């Protein structure tokens, strides 16, 4: 490829965002032929660095030449912008607030199909069954190469075609689904297909020849029926489902097979979108309860004055029905609505509840879609589609008329992205996004985050409460079991106390179900030598390996490292190796002994890995095929079961002891959330919580279900120790594979910041897990008063510190992660 760039005497330029962590937008010139097509929000094909091309996004169209020399763009990829000005402003806010580059935001925001780069790898669609000879020239060349080589990078495509500009063509082929991104095929995303029927040639394109077809089958009545039905069904349609044909003509596949043999009607597989296509009937939403009516009226009143409301409703109070009403009102006004949930709470339960009422108007945007499907939703939202249900990445969809954002389970820490940049919080970013659109925000939860509740007390947010369960059902009765006492009395049966065992048996005997919560997966978190106390640790991380009995190995939950069980202690040669602690797998195992008759299911990361496993476990439990469900915090989220008589928390201690200022808050939320799964619908349920520390105030607050008591105590501690919501936190983590480098780097980096921040900077300190994936970690914590100027200047300073450190000799390989409002 030529390295010379056409000399342009252009007078149009664009500044573009590249999908990577470069600090600033880049400027390119626009050759005459593309001038009429460039506009803000379209993608352009550009060269960056000596050899690489990218799809970059136009941030501004400029008429003045920049001071430096520019390259020319290679092409304009889109005919219309893929995002609007408001999304760009949102990106800019995310970048500034969460201390990352616009390129990193772009990378997070766009589905992979919209992010083409030299190394992007394509394959031929597995469903392409047309004749490649019928494709136009360049498409043909690509398709042919792909049938031979299976996959090509865009770099290779460029070489094959021998032209500079290929992205508009690639975009087109992706749109037509001739090609796929390789990542879609190697992952679980098999396209969903349905069997369809169509006419063979010449009948398809020359209707006058149909007479011949009828003649051929004139002796087969059922085939004639089928052909007539087909013609009727095909009217004005792109495709005819074989199923519909069967129904209308009252025939089965023997008939269509016969017609296929005669060259009349062909059966083929057609890809359908998982996105659209809700086919059941839409039904009226339930009649509102008085409490729901009152809540809705209050929400309306308060929205007149406040833009953000917190709906605090106990589990089972019927918040979803309230959302449905507000969504309906918004849709009737022609407005767009975003309903945000933590990813794991996006279960078929909630999806089908909304689809029942809104049918095809719901689009669900989450990580299990393939990229084609994402782009499909992207385009529908751009065209003004009404309701998106999604995880935090749905914030980036190209809304035009967003007027309502619902953040359900607003307290859930998994709204925060941990890694990579942008480390944004779905709820908080949602509130900013809503502001851009002049939209209202409704935060819903049974257990508000301390921050959000504080905002209601400070008058910033409104507060609406729903204190009763739907149908007047009582909240579950909570019982605390003192494990210290039980141990002393010698009544424990492994990890189960007598009250828990007895209550489980009684519950199952009554035909009700049990949920057991243990926030740790695997069999046991520690595998050690009983003689010398040596413990088996990860070779890449400073954590002990978890024993997984099913796979009979030891695993690191931080990096995925796995190893066989040692036969003897490598330190002392002892043969007595034992496990310590317990996870969900062990609980499941032991239950089989204590409750030999019961059918037991387990829901944790290990059991929901495979496709649809999550939905299957939920479904098995819903349909009563399981008596007991053991799980990690997955069982606390977004589930609504009818027959749960008992919820058991095996160990509250492990939640309470976590070394973080939010440990108490998390423990309170998790325990109340899991308790809320008990006794929904018909009957009061029971909750048993086992703990060694029954005097911990959180235990008492959970026992009383007393959020106010919890909040009042917690907020005082937060104030006293300079924590949010009174102070803002920014955590900075330095990483390097060599301890001497990281230690020295942290000194330099720390001194740089310390000079300006003084006591506002804490650290460096080794975090709870001091080495992960062979990287040594050191943490800094910045605590800032809530002064916008101070916060902004500190973020600039943090950027400057990074720049300073990476330029120092020997430190360019240090990785720096900045986490604003860490969770
Ligand atoms: P929350 O989200 O507040 O925990 P849900 O919305 O899940 O509560 O409602 C609890 C239960 O009550 C659900 O099973 C739901 O179907 C039922 N429910 C709520 N509102 C109504 C209503 N107006 N009519 C009939 N059933 C309702
Ligand atoms: Zn030993
Ligand atoms: Zn590890």
């Amino acid at each position: 490829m030529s390295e010379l760039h056409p000399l342009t005497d252009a007078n149009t330029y664009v500044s573009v965002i590249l999908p990577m962590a470069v600090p600033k937008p880049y400027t390119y010139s626009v050759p005459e032929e593309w001038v009429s097509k460039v506009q803000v929000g379209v993608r352009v094909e550009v060269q960056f660095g000596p050899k690489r091309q990218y799809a970059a996004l136009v941030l501004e169209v400029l008429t003045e030449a920049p001071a430096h020399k520019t390259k020319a763009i290679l092409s304009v990829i889109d005919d219309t912008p893929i995002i609007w000005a408001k999304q760009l402003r949102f990106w800019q806010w995310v970048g500034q607030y969460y201390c990352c580059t616009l390129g990193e935001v772009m990378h997070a925001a766009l589905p992979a199909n919209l992010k083409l780069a030299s190394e992007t790898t394509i394959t031929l669609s597995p469903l392409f069954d047309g004749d490649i000879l019928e494709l136009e020239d360049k498409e043909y060349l690509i398709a042919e190469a792909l049938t031979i080589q299976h996959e090509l990078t865009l770099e290779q495509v460029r070489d094959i075609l021998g032209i500079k500009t290929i992205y508009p063509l690639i975009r087109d082929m992706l749109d037509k689904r001739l090609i796929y991104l390789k990542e879609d095929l190697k992952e679980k995303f098999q396209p969903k297909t349905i069997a369809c029927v169509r006419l063979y040639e010449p009948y398809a394109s020359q209707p006058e020849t149909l007479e011949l077809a009828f003649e051929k089958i004139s002796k087969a009545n059922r085939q004639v029926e089928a052909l007539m039905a087909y013609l009727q069904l095909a009217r004005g349609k792109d495709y005819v489902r074989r199923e519909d044909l069967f129904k209308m003509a009252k025939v089965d596949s023997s008939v269509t097979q016969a017609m296929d043999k005669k060259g009349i009607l062909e059966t083929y597989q057609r890809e359908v979108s998982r996105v659209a296509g809700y086919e059941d009937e839409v039904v009226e939403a339930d009649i509102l309860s008085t409490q729901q009516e009152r809540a809705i009226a209050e929400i309306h009143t308060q929205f007149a004055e406040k833009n953000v409301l917190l709906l605090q409703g106990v589990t089972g109070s019927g918040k979803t029905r309230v959302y449905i009403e507000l969504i309906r009102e918004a849709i009737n006004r022609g407005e767009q609505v975003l309903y945000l949930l933590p990813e794991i709470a996006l279960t078929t339960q909630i999806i089908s509840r909304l689809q029942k009422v809104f049918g095809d108007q719901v689009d669900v945007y989450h990580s299990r879609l393939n990229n084609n499907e994402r782009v499909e939703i992207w385009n529908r939202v751009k065209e003004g589609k009404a309701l998106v249900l999604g995880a935090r990445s749905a914030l980036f969809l190209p809304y035009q008329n967003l007027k309502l954002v619902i953040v359900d389970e607003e307290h859930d820490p998994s709204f925060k992205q941990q890694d990579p940049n942008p480390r944004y919080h779905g709820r908080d970013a949602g509130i900013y996004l809503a502001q851009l659109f002049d939209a209202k925000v409704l935060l819903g939860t049974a257990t508000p985050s301390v921050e959000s509740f504080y905002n209601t007390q400070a008058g910033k947010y409104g507060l609406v409460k729903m204190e009763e369960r739907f149908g007047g059902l009582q909240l579950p009765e909570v019982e605390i079991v003192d494990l210290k006492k039980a141990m002393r009395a010698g009544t424990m049966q492994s990890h189960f106390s007598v009250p828990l065992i007895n209550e489980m048996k009684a519950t199952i005997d009554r035909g009700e179900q049990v949920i057991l919560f243990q926030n740790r997966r695997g069999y046991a978190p520690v595998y050690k030598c009983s003689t010398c106390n040596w413990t088996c640790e990860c070779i890449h991380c400073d954590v002990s390996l978890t024993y997984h009995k099913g796979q009979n190995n030891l695993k690191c939950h931080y990096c995925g490292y796995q190893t066989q069980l040692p036969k003897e202690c490598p330190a002392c040669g002892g043969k007595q190796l034992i496990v310590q602690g317990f996870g969900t797998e062990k609980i499941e195992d032991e239950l089989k002994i204590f409750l030999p008759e019961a059918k037991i299911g387990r829901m944790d990361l290990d059991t929901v890995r495979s496709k649809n496993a999550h939905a299957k476990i939920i479904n098995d439990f819903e349909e009563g095929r399981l008596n007991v469900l053991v799980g990690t915090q997955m069982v606390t989220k977004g589930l609504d079961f009818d027959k749960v008589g008992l919820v058991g928390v095996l160990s509250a201690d492990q939640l309470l002891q976590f070394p973080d200022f939010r440990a108490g808050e998390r423990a309170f939320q998790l325990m109340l959330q899991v308790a809320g799964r008990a006794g929904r619908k018909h009957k009061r349920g029971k909750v048993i919580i086992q703990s060694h520390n029954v005097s911990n105030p959180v235990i008492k607050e959970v026992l009383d279900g007393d959020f106010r008591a919890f909040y009042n105590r917690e907020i005082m501690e937060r104030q006293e120790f300079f924590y949010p919501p009174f102070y803002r936190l920014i955590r900075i983590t330095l990483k390097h594979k060599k301890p001497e480098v990281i230690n020295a780097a942290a000194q330099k980096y720390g001194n740089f910041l310390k000079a300006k921040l003084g006591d506002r900077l804490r650290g460096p300190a080794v975090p709870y897990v001091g080495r992960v994936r062979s990287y040594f970690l050191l943490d800094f914590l910045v605590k800032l008063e809530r002064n916008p100027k101070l916060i902004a200047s500190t973020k600039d300073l943090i950027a400057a510190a990074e720049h300073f450190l990476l330029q120092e000799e020997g430190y360019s390989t240090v990785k720096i992660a900045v986490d604003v409002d860490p969770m």
Side-chain angles (χ1 to χ4, degrees):
M1 192 176 305
S2 152
E3 271 311 300
L4 293 174
H5 298 289
L7 293 173
T8 54
D9 40 7
N11 44 23
T12 303
Y13 300 85
V14 283
S15 72
V16 304
I17 311 172
L18 288 152
M20 64 182 98
V22 286
K24 279 194 304 190
Y26 261 68
T27 304
Y28 288 85
S29 59
V30 181
E32 195 53 41
E33 59 173 316
W34 298 110
V35 167
S36 67
K37 295 193 87 180
V38 287
Q39 51 180 317
V40 174
V42 298
R43 288 171 303 154
V44 290
E45 181 177 10
V46 299
Q47 178 141 1
F48 182 76
K51 238 192 111 71
R52 297 164 59 81
Q53 287 85 18
Y54 291 95
L57 193 104
V58 175
L59 184 61
E60 278 176 300
V61 180
L62 311 162
T63 46
E64 234 162 81
H68 56 87
K69 248 178 67 190
T70 56
K71 290 180 188 172
I73 62 166
L74 302 174
S75 71
V76 174
I77 303 172
D78 303 299
D79 300 328
T80 56
I82 60 165
I83 60 168
W84 314 104
K86 284 207 171 115
Q87 276 79 46
L88 276 174
R89 275 169 61 196
F90 181 59
W91 290 15
Q92 276 161 330
W93 177 84
V94 171
Q96 271 155 19
Y97 188 90
Y98 292 105
C99 296
C100 66
T101 65
L102 265 179
E104 289 169 306
V105 182
M106 172 178 176
H107 191 66
L110 297 183
N113 273 15
L114 300 179
K115 285 188 302 203
L116 308 176
S118 303
E119 70 275 13
T120 303
T121 306
I122 56 168
T123 64
L124 202 57
S125 161
L127 296 167
F128 179 72
D129 63 347
D131 187 348
I132 64 168
L133 289 171
E134 280 168 23
L135 298 173
E136 59 155 272
D137 290 356
K138 289 178 196 147
E139 289 180 350
Y140 168 76
L141 285 174
I142 296 174
E144 195 201 25
L146 282 172
T147 48
I148 299 162
Q149 298 192 35
H150 296 298
E151 57 181 69
L152 294 172
T153 64
L154 296 188
E155 195 53 54
Q156 291 168 317
V157 171
R158 206 179 288 272
D159 289 344
I160 288 169
L161 296 183
I163 52 175
K164 263 203 140 169
T165 296
I166 62 163
Y167 286 3
L169 174 68
I170 296 295
R171 186 215 67 189
D172 220 38
M173 291 179 78
L174 280 168
D175 283 353
K176 290 195 229 159
R177 299 200 174 183
L178 286 172
I179 55 172
Y180 268 67
L181 296 192
K182 183 187 162 200
E183 60 178 84
D184 276 338
L185 292 183
K186 84 169 178 253
E187 290 191 15
K188 56 222 169 210
F189 310 124
Q190 279 308 315
K192 181 179 164 192
T193 61
I194 49 171
C196 290
V197 286
R198 67 185 167 209
L199 289 171
Y200 277 109
E201 289 300 341
Y203 316 117
S205 56
Q206 302 167 33
E208 64 280 7
T209 58
L210 270 172
E211 236 174 274
L212 284 170
F214 275 110
E215 258 170 44
K216 269 197 198 168
I217 56 176
S218 62
K219 291 207 187 81
N221 276 339
R222 300 206 307 154
Q223 295 184 25
V224 174
E225 290 290 331
L227 186 52
M228 295 205 321
Y230 173 83
L231 293 173
Q232 201 172 333
L233 287 167
R235 215 167 284 156
K237 288 262 183 60
D238 291 339
Y239 62 97
V240 173
R241 285 162 163 267
R242 191 177 57 173
E243 210 40 49
D244 294 342
L245 182 81
F246 289 168
K247 257 191 219 149
M248 181 181 273
K250 301 202 175 59
V251 298
D252 56 29
S253 56
S254 64
V255 175
T256 45
Q257 272 165 22
M259 295 172 81
D260 206 322
K261 280 207 191 101
K262 289 182 188 162
I264 296 172
L265 205 57
E266 178 189 16
T267 299
Y268 69 102
Q269 295 297 316
R270 181 187 170 90
E271 180 179 351
V272 288
S273 157
R274 247 177 302 236
V275 169
Y278 179 74
E279 264 146 23
D280 292 345
E281 236 164 280
V282 169
V283 298
E284 277 293 305
D286 293 323
I287 295 167
L288 294 165
S289 69
T290 7
Q291 178 176 242
Q292 284 164 339
E293 275 184 359
R294 200 214 69 232
I296 290 163
E298 253 185 68
I299 289 170
H300 284 145
T301 318
Q302 295 202 31
F303 267 155
E305 286 172 16
K306 305 231 151 102
N307 291 325
V308 184
L309 298 188
L310 175 65
L311 176 63
Q312 182 184 12
V314 296
T315 48
S317 57
K319 293 183 288 296
T320 316
R321 179 65 187 87
V322 170
Y323 304 148
I324 286 175
E325 200 57 23
L326 298 170
I327 293 167
R328 189 185 5 225
E329 291 168 1
I331 290 180
N332 287 345
R333 289 190 297 264
E335 301 165 355
Q336 287 180 305
V337 179
L338 169 60
Y339 185 145
L340 278 182
L341 270 168
E343 175 88 36
I344 192 70
L346 271 172
T347 58
T348 43
Q349 281 193 341
I350 181 73
I351 295 170
S352 62
R353 263 170 97 178
L354 291 180
Q355 282 179 331
K356 258 191 197 140
V357 185
F358 297 109
D360 260 352
Q361 283 172 302
V362 191
D363 274 323
V364 188
Y365 196 71
H366 56 71
S367 65
R368 292 183 297 282
L369 298 173
N370 71 32
N371 283 301
N372 281 325
E373 290 163 335
R374 280 178 212 224
V375 172
E376 205 175 310
I377 295 185
W378 188 276
N379 291 331
R380 283 146 66 105
V381 170
K382 214 170 79 177
E383 285 152 19
K385 269 281 296 208
L387 170 59
V388 176
L389 176 60
R392 62 172 174 270
S393 59
L395 288 164
F396 292 108
L397 288 166
Y399 305 98
Q400 275 206 67
N401 186 29
L402 183 66
K403 288 294 170 201
L404 176 64
V405 177
I406 292 168
V407 185
D408 199 4
E409 314 290 358
E410 69 87 21
H411 64 278
D412 197 305
S414 53
F415 269 123
K416 183 81 196 290
Q417 167 138 327
Q418 298 295 343
D419 196 41
N421 276 338
R423 296 176 162 86
Y424 65 111
H425 195 298
R427 174 196 63 211
D428 300 344
I431 291 171
Y432 178 80
L433 182 73
Q435 211 175 305
L436 280 178
F437 280 91
D438 221 351
K440 301 291 183 190
V441 181
L442 185 63
L443 310 176
T445 176
T447 51
S449 60
V450 169
E451 279 93 339
S452 294
F453 199 79
Y454 174 79
N455 281 329
T456 68
Q457 301 306 291
K460 210 169 145 199
Y461 299 171
L463 176 63
V464 176
K465 288 191 184 182
M466 291 169 73
E467 290 176 312
E468 279 154 35
R469 282 189 153 186
F470 178 78
L473 196 77
Q474 277 182 296
L475 280 165
E477 174 199 347
V478 182
E479 180 184 337
I480 310 291
V481 175
D482 185 340
L483 289 183
K484 265 192 201 144
K485 268 194 197 155
M487 296 255 193
R488 242 181 276 134
T491 54
M492 290 296 286
Q493 306 194 33
S494 186
H495 306 290
F496 302 93
S497 60
V498 172
L500 183 55
I501 288 267
N502 289 345
E503 199 63 42
M504 282 197 289
K505 287 182 177 152
T507 306
I508 295 171
D509 285 345
R510 283 197 304 270
E512 295 172 2
Q513 293 172 305
V514 179
I515 291 180
L516 289 183
F517 171 64
Q518 166 61 3
N519 211 17
R520 200 167 246 167
R521 66 195 168 92
Y523 191 84
V526 176
Y527 193 76
K528 67 180 216 180
C529 170
S530 65
T531 316
C532 77
N533 256 342
W534 170 86
T535 59
C536 199
E537 297 212 333
C538 180
I539 57 170
H540 307 296
C541 315
D542 284 349
V543 289
S544 65
L545 294 174
T546 299
Y547 171 48
H548 285 251
K549 190 176 176 190
Q551 291 162 342
N552 195 34
N553 65 7
L554 296 164
K555 268 190 213 172
C556 173
H557 287 181
Y558 281 78
C559 73
Y561 168 77
Q562 306 187 7
T563 183
Q564 296 303 310
L565 304 177
K567 294 213 170 57
E568 58 183 39
C569 170
C572 75
K575 297 256 190 281
Q576 290 281 348
L577 295 167
I578 55 168
V579 298
Q580 191 178 3
F582 60 103
T584 44
E585 198 187 4
K586 185 162 188 221
I587 295 304
E588 183 192 13
D589 224 42
E590 294 186 341
L591 278 179
K592 288 178 188 153
I593 300 165
F594 296 126
L595 306 171
E597 310 281 282
K599 289 192 251 6
I600 299 154
R602 172 157 63 93
M603 184 155 84
D604 56 30
L605 257 188
D606 298 311
T607 63
V608 306
R609 279 233 167 89
S610 70
K611 197 184 162 196
N612 296 334
H614 189 229
K616 178 164 186 314
I617 299 169
I618 292 172
N619 192 253
D620 282 349
F621 196 64
E622 254 178 340
E623 304 284 322
R625 287 189 286 272
L626 297 172
N627 305 111
V628 185
L629 183 63
V630 183
T632 55
Q633 52 178 308
M634 267 181 200
V635 299
T636 68
K637 295 187 186 185
L639 301 174
D640 175 13
F641 300 116
D642 288 355
K643 283 183 295 219
V644 178
L646 173 69
V647 166
V649 177
L650 285 150
S651 165
D653 310 326
Q654 181 219 331
L655 300 173
L656 291 164
Q657 285 158 1
F658 203 72
D660 181 85
F661 77 95
R662 283 187 223 270
E665 179 179 6
R666 290 285 167 267
F668 181 81
Q669 287 164 351
L670 276 171
M671 282 191 271
L672 269 199
Q673 291 286 341
V674 71
R677 308 302 124 196
R680 299 166 69 112
K681 283 238 165 104
H682 306 298
K683 194 163 152 271
R684 189 175 191 199
K686 176 147 188 173
V687 180
I688 295 183
I689 297 175
Q690 305 190 137
S691 171
H692 282 96
N693 304 294
V694 289
S695 57
N696 189 307
V698 173
I699 299 274
K700 173 85 166 59
E701 289 147 9
V702 172
L703 178 68
D704 300 339
D706 192 346
F707 175 79
R708 262 334 268 256
F710 156 76
Y711 173 80
N712 289 339
R713 187 180 49 75
E714 186 71 29
I715 200 79
M716 278 173 48
E717 286 181 16
R718 299 281 181 97
Q719 186 149 31
E720 194 177 336
F721 298 106
F722 311 108
Y723 278 118
F726 303 99
Y727 282 74
R728 286 227 171 268
L729 303 184
I730 301 176
R731 187 174 54 216
I732 305 161
T733 305
L734 269 49
K735 299 195 215 179
H736 200 275
K737 289 196 171 168
K738 294 193 180 136
E740 62 279 9
V741 175
I742 191 82
N743 288 338
Q747 282 309 326
K748 274 193 185 292
Y749 183 88
N751 289 341
F752 184 98
L753 284 183
K754 198 102 193 164
K756 299 263 172 49
L757 290 174
D759 283 346
R760 293 185 180 113
L761 182 78
R762 314 282 162 91
V766 179
Y768 181 53
V769 177
R771 189 176 55 118
V772 174
R773 295 174 192 274
S774 304
Y775 280 91
F776 291 88
L777 312 183
L778 280 175
D779 271 0
F780 289 93
L781 191 64
V782 184
K783 286 189 176 184
L784 299 170
E785 302 91 302
R786 298 188 52 148
N787 165 348
K789 269 203 187 126
L790 171 70
I791 293 169
S793 66
T794 305
K795 286 176 181 171
D796 290 343
L797 189 65
I798 289 171
E802 174 163 347
H803 191 69
F804 158 77
L805 183 69
L806 299 187
Q807 280 198 336
E808 291 279 298
E809 203 180 321
Y811 297 112
S812 64
T813 49
V814 175
K815 296 189 180 190
I816 303 176
V818 180
D819 190 355
V820 178
D821 304 335
M823 282 279 138

